[in-house]
Amino acid sequence: MNKFLALKIILEQQNITKAAKILGYTQPAVTQMIASLENDLGFPLLIKKHRQINLTPEGERIFPFINQLLNDYQALEEQKQEIQGESTVIKIATIPNWIENGEADIGFVNGDVTENGLVIQHQVLKAILPLPLAQNFPDNQPIPLADLTNYDYILLEEGLFSESVSEFQKIGIEPKMKLRLHDSFSTILMVEQGLGYSIMPMEEETESLYQIKSFDTVPAISRSISLLQKNDGLLTNGAKNFVKFVQTHRNAL
């Protein structure tokens, strides 16, 4: 199992030395593990190209099975720990594929990208502007998306689908993309520094902490947040209890 795990971490880190550090082995030991795995399988798994570590065609065919085996093994270990009375970790994702392939137990995802799941919240996305830029627009009036196209856009990426980019495309325009970030706090700071505007959920309490101003948009942008879970039979009791809690208290979330 360690050989399979080494392969996965090498691909994630794109560096054998970093993978070895995570695994707690030396770099030569991890290299030998991969060589041994390739010898067991009878074909090479990895190839280096342009400083990237990629799977060979044979590796691409077999890796989904290796990944599923690792996920199943981890699920087995979690069930064992729960039976023994030890605490377990609940893995939460924001990408549907991670639930589907077993890498996460539960997911909070955009309801527009999945038909499965329980809608637990509706969110309105607002245009977030630095204060100097906000002075160019009337207070308490929605901003047409078309009026933002001359300004730099800082995209908060929260998955494979972007509601804001989709709305821009619906009206036939492209935002002037400057940055793509994966963290809302960093995005707010970039906006505050005047590097551009963003579109994201924003509460009054949060807005008051920064030198920013939020506006509704035309067209309005909204989304639903859905709760997804993997097969109920594979969930630990801890994960099941978490799901029940969310279902019971979804109106307060």
Side-chain angles (χ1 to χ4, degrees), residues 3-108:
K3 298 177 184 179
F4 296 149
L5 183 59
L7 174 64
K8 181 175 182 178
I9 293 180
I10 288 172
L11 290 170
E12 291 175 344
Q13 297 297 316
Q14 286 291 295
N15 186 288
I16 295 178
T17 301
K18 290 182 180 179
K21 186 175 181 180
I22 292 173
L23 291 165
Y25 294 106
T26 64
Q27 187 269 337
V30 172
T31 300
Q32 181 56 40
M33 290 169 70
I34 297 301
S36 175
L37 178 58
E38 291 177 331
N39 184 64
D40 292 342
L41 294 172
F43 48 80
L45 292 169
L46 297 175
I47 184 172
K48 290 185 179 180
K49 186 176 182 181
H50 303 305
R51 296 186 178 182
Q52 286 189 326
I53 301 176
N54 298 316
L55 288 166
T56 63
E58 296 84 0
E60 290 180 353
R61 290 179 61 183
I62 200 172
F63 185 73
F65 299 98
I66 292 176
N67 193 51
Q68 186 60 54
L69 182 61
L70 287 169
N71 291 332
D72 290 344
Y73 180 78
Q74 186 169 0
L76 174 63
E77 285 295 305
E78 290 172 354
Q79 291 287 351
K80 183 184 75 173
Q81 292 173 7
E82 189 168 63
I83 290 172
Q84 294 173 342
E86 300 176 10
S87 61
T88 59
V89 175
I90 301 174
K91 293 170 289 184
I92 301 176
T94 58
I95 300 177
N97 288 348
W98 289 3
I99 296 104
E100 293 171 1
N101 64 23
E103 292 189 38
D105 301 311
I106 298 163
F108 294 100

Side-chain angles (χ1 to χ4, degrees), residues 128-196:
I128 311 301
L129 279 60
L131 291 182
L133 178 57
Q135 295 175 2
N136 296 336
F137 299 93
D139 284 343
N140 304 318
Q141 292 188 25
I143 297 179
L145 291 181
D147 291 354
L148 294 171
T149 53
N150 292 327
Y151 304 102
D152 291 328
Y153 183 40
I154 302 173
L155 174 63
L156 174 60
E157 289 190 319
E158 299 177 292
L160 301 177
F161 176 76
S162 169
E163 299 85 4
S164 60
V165 172
S166 176
E167 289 298 331
F168 275 114
Q169 292 173 343
K170 286 179 182 178
I171 59 176
I173 58 177
E174 290 289 335
K176 187 180 177 183
M177 200 73 67
K178 181 172 184 177
L179 293 171
R180 294 173 180 267
L181 302 176
H182 299 276
D183 175 70
S184 58
F185 176 69
S186 299
T187 303
I188 293 172
L189 291 181
M190 294 297 101
V191 171
E192 185 180 48
Q193 293 300 311
L195 297 181

Side-chain angles (χ1 to χ4, degrees), residues 108-119:
F108 294 100
V109 302
N110 188 324
D112 294 331
V113 300
T114 179
E115 295 180 356
N116 303 317
L118 173 71
V119 176

